[in-house]
Amino acid sequence: NADAFVLIGVGGSNNAARSVIEALRKDDAPEIIYAGNTLSPDAMNRMMKRLEGKSIYIDCIAKNFETLEPGSSFRILRKYMEKTYGEEAGKRIIATGTVGSSLETLCTKYGYTFLEFPLNVGGRYTAMTNVGLLPMAVAGIDISELVKGARDMQIRVHEESAEKNIAYQYACLRNLYYKEGYRVEMLSSFEPQFRFFYKWWIQLFAESEGKDNKGIFPSGVDFTTDLHSMGQYIQEGRRDLFETVIRIKTPANDIIINPDDDNLDGLNYLAGKTMDYVNKKAMEGTVKAHVDGDVPNIIIEMNKLDAKNIGELIYFFEKACAMSGMILGVNPFNQPGVEKYKKNMFHLLEKPGY
């Protein structure tokens, strides 16, 4: 019954949910507004203005509730909810955190709905938990199909032999390229709906593998748009990157390009062809050009962009990331480097104990 759902969170827990929401959100679902992912006052004020006149619910996702971005935003938004809804505010506030955290204590005191954040799951791996599934469901996404897709991929990569296991193949290819001097992996797709999926994928691999002075630097590009900016560097820049391209076999919708009697734009050679056909030829031409320019390419093919296939893709990357980290010789499930800046920041802010 809400106009908008405010998702408060930063890092993997936010990116995991947002990657799916931005790709698959239904048009008639509540607007998803993101908060708690920055400390910028300008961004916070702009976000607050978007709430005016809307019926909203909020969900604060914070595993240990020690990160300032979601914590400070949650404090400000709780005051807004109390001012706007009075005693009804508590029914509109949800929090997702670990049992025993100060976030749970806060929820117990004020009567907020509290959902458990799995203690043994890092934020970047939480798409198929309470953390990701609730906001995805609010966005109108069929989470049953999403989980089914992940489960199907889990069964597949656990039962396949090493020679046929696609997650293991991808993990091995990444590490072979790394040993040959390719230090950057660029994830790309020719579908703009993947723009936020790149952010999750980048965090997944950066936070899992970037340790002990090791790791492939993950990056993402949005084709064909970025071919007009990054294309020059990819084609003729330093030969230290390889590409992983997500190809979608069947589009959700398509458009036929009509003929034009005047043909003043010179595009009648496209008449009768679909936009998807043209888009795929752009992809094929790009891959060929980059491979000819000594940029290795890995192509990952999806049947279509829907909940089940996204679920498969998420589990595929999670499993491959774990395997790749093990091959590299690092622990893909911790992130000790992330905590170092926080200690300095808390000291400068004079937080007790720092």
Side-chain angles (χ1 to χ4, degrees):
N1 297 324
D3 299 320
F5 185 80
V6 183
L7 184 59
I8 307 168
V10 68
S13 54
N14 182 67
N15 288 335
R18 190 172 187 177
S19 67
V20 181
I21 292 170
E22 295 300 319
L24 300 177
R25 178 184 168 271
K26 301 299 183 184
D27 291 339
D28 58 351
E31 179 186 3
I32 307 297
I33 297 175
Y34 300 94
N37 50 17
T38 177
L39 293 171
S40 163
D42 183 62
M44 187 68 186
N45 279 303
R46 287 173 180 269
M47 186 279 299
M48 295 296 291
K49 287 181 180 178
R50 292 176 62 189
L51 305 182
E52 293 176 3
K54 293 178 180 176
S55 171
I56 67 168
Y57 283 71
I58 66 175
D59 179 16
C60 177
I61 301 173
K63 186 173 186 178
N64 55 23
F65 204 49
E66 292 179 353
T67 305
L68 280 187
E69 290 90 342
S72 57
S73 293
F74 190 40
R75 173 177 283 202
I76 293 168
L77 281 162
R78 282 191 295 119
K79 295 300 180 183
Y80 172 83
M81 297 294 283
E82 291 167 4
K83 181 179 178 180
T84 304
Y85 298 105
E87 294 181 358
E88 295 295 311
K91 297 178 180 179
R92 292 173 171 263
I93 299 174
I94 304 161
T96 307
T98 51
V99 173
S101 67
S102 57
L103 183 57
E104 184 188 26
T105 302
L106 190 153
C107 290
T108 300
K109 179 176 181 179
Y110 294 106
Y112 306 152
T113 299
F114 180 79
L115 300 178
E116 184 177 350
F117 193 126
L119 189 61
N120 61 341
V121 181
R124 58 194 181 276
Y125 291 98
T126 57
M128 302 298 160
T129 71
N130 289 334
V131 177
L133 294 177
L134 171 63
M136 291 178 200
V138 172
I141 295 164
D142 188 338
I143 58 174
S144 296
E145 282 295 295
L146 187 86
V147 173
K148 183 180 186 303
R151 176 62 174 156
D152 287 349
M153 181 59 69
Q154 181 189 42
I155 293 170
R156 176 179 176 180
V157 298
H158 279 248
E159 292 182 349
E160 286 178 335
S161 63
E163 293 80 7
K164 295 181 179 180
N165 189 311
I166 57 173
Y168 185 57
Q169 289 174 359
Y170 175 59
C172 288
L173 279 171
R174 298 181 77 251
N175 280 275
L176 284 169
Y177 288 141
Y178 181 63
K179 288 180 179 180
E180 292 177 5
Y182 294 96
R183 297 290 189 258
V184 178
E185 179 177 10
M186 185 176 296
L187 184 69
S188 68
S189 168
F190 285 69
E191 292 293 337
Q193 286 167 281
F194 271 114
R195 284 175 181 165
F196 284 93
F197 190 89
Y198 302 149
K199 284 187 173 291
W200 168 75
W201 177 89
I202 287 169
Q203 179 171 6
L204 177 67
F205 281 93
E207 204 166 56
S208 298
E209 291 191 328
K211 296 156 193 171
D212 304 330
N213 294 316
K214 298 178 182 178
I216 298 168
F217 185 86
S219 62
V221 285
D222 179 24
F223 289 157
T224 59
T225 302
D226 290 341
L227 286 172
H228 300 273
S229 54
M230 292 289 288
Q232 173 62 39
Y233 185 92
I234 298 167
Q235 192 68 46
E236 297 182 351
R238 291 179 58 179
R239 302 297 80 183
D240 61 353
L241 66 86
F242 65 96
E243 286 180 278
T244 298
V245 183
I246 300 174
R247 180 183 187 272
I248 299 172
K249 289 176 64 175
T250 306
N253 299 287
D254 210 348
I255 299 175
I256 296 175
I257 300 172
N258 296 321
D260 186 284
D261 291 340
D262 295 327
N263 194 31
L264 295 177
D265 54 14
L267 295 177
N268 267 355
Y269 69 96
L270 298 177
K273 296 180 173 66
T274 67
M275 287 292 292
D276 181 62
Y277 177 84
V278 174
N279 199 30
K280 284 187 168 58
K281 294 308 171 188
M283 189 206 79
E284 292 168 16
T286 299
V287 169
K288 184 179 188 308
H290 292 174
V291 171
D292 289 346
D294 295 324
V295 178
N297 266 247
I298 300 169
I299 297 178
I300 296 172
E301 190 168 81
M302 294 175 62
N303 286 325
K304 55 185 176 180
L305 188 55
D306 61 10
K308 183 176 184 297
N309 281 272
I310 285 278
E312 290 183 2
L313 188 66
I314 287 172
Y315 190 87
F316 164 79
F317 277 129
E318 289 180 346
K319 184 68 174 181
C321 181
M323 290 176 163
S324 183
M326 295 295 184
I327 293 170
L328 188 62
V330 300
N331 180 354
F333 302 112
N334 67 359
Q335 53 282 336
V338 175
E339 304 305 317
K340 292 189 177 180
Y341 92 89
K342 292 182 183 179
K343 292 179 181 179
N344 292 338
M345 176 179 64
F346 290 148
H347 171 72
L348 294 168
L349 290 170
E350 301 179 358
K351 180 178 179 179
Y354 289 83

